Amino acid sequence: EVQLLESGGTVVRPGGSLRLSCEASGFKFDDYAMSWVRQAPGKGLEWVSHINWSGGLQRYVDSVRGRFTISRDNARNTLYLQMDNLGDEDTAFYFCAMKGVDNAFDMWGQGTLVTVSS
Amino acid sequence: QSALTQPASVSGSPGQSITISCTGTSNDVGAYDYVSWYQHHPGEAPKLLIFAVTRRPSGISARFSGSKSGNTASLTISGLQPEDEADYYCCSYAGDVTFVLGSGSKVSVL
């Protein structure tokens, strides 16, 4: 069964850092590019970051560029999101998603909640 | 990187058809045939319904169909069922390996 399981979400102080993980199973992880998508409370989904199969190409939405770093460890079948200098606006559920053919996200995890609060 | 515009809510009676619009720009929806649609029940993982504007993944009901004209894509749900109550999001490839999602539409079955 194809599965994505996010972890690492917690309460963090403004200006703090956090690393999210997304463990993949049931498919050949290093065949697929991956993205992080977030949903702030009461808001819609927002694409945050993307990484290609090898980790050699990363992209970010403007609001997180320079603060967030996406990476992956294909030996561990795990995707990461390092989040630094967190602000209130980063409070959200964070989902990892597997990009399949035709630039669609075939599979998503159930998300992990990040709360930025003093 | 502004969100694609969707109606906040769409409703219909069981058995009816509804259409959700998704308006972008000539840099995203209008530029690429890479529009996808997702169903999201809060607390669950979003689910892919449509990819490449019109194509359905294996296992997705034919009641879901997609189309595109210019900068606007649409999702039609035919034969509306109670279990279709959910949030729906469009997504477009926006070039240079970036993506933009829609503002989301809450579908209610009356």
Side-chain angles (χ1 to χ4, degrees), chain A residues 39 50 59 62 102-103 105 109, chain B residues 1 34 38 45 89 96-97:
Chain A
Q39 183 176 33
H50 187 81
R59 293 291 185 265
D62 288 347
D102 292 320
N103 288 307
F105 298 109
Chain B
Q1 294 177 322
Y34 292 135
Y38 303 87
Y89 293 89
D96 193 28
V97 202

Side-chain angles (χ1 to χ4, degrees), chain B residues 10-18 80 107-110:
Chain B
V10 182
S11 61
S13 300
Q16 285 187 330
S17 293
I18 61 170
L80 201 61
V107 168
S108 299
V109 182
L110 304 174

Side-chain angles (χ1 to χ4, degrees), chain A residues 35 37 39 43-47 50 57 59-63 65 95 99 101-106 108-110, chain B residues 1 34 36 38 40 43-48 50-52 55 89 91 93 96-103:
Chain A
S35 272
V37 175
Q39 183 176 33
K43 303 293 186 182
L45 299 174
E46 178 188 34
W47 173 80
H50 187 81
L57 181 145
R59 293 291 185 265
Y60 302 92
V61 69
D62 288 347
S63 59
R65 188 176 295 114
F95 300 92
K99 189 184 83 69
V101 297
D102 292 320
N103 288 307
F105 298 109
D106 293 0
W108 300 61
Q110 291 197 313
Chain B
Q1 294 177 322
Y34 292 135
S36 50
Y38 303 87
H40 187 209
E44 298 182 7
K47 179 180 178 182
L48 176 65
I50 297 287
F51 68 99
R55 298 177 65 183
Y89 293 89
C91 179
Y93 182 71
D96 193 28
V97 202
T98 65
F99 300 85
V100 59
L101 280 147
S103 49

Side-chain angles (χ1 to χ4, degrees), chain A residues 9-14 18 86-88 90-92 94 113-117:
Chain A
T10 189
V11 179
V12 60
R13 296 279 179 99
L18 196 61
L86 285 160
D88 294 344
D90 299 314
T91 292
Y94 284 75
L113 178 60
V114 174
T115 302
V116 183
S117 175

Side-chain angles (χ1 to χ4, degrees), chain B residues 56-91:
Chain B
R56 275 190 316 276
S58 173
I60 297 300
S61 170
R63 298 188 300 106
F64 296 94
S65 61
S67 64
K68 190 186 89 165
S69 177
N71 296 338
T72 298
S74 299
L75 173 73
T76 297
I77 308 175
S78 305
L80 201 61
Q81 297 181 1
E83 58 264 33
D84 297 333
E85 277 209 347
D87 298 321
Y88 291 81
Y89 293 89
C90 60
C91 179

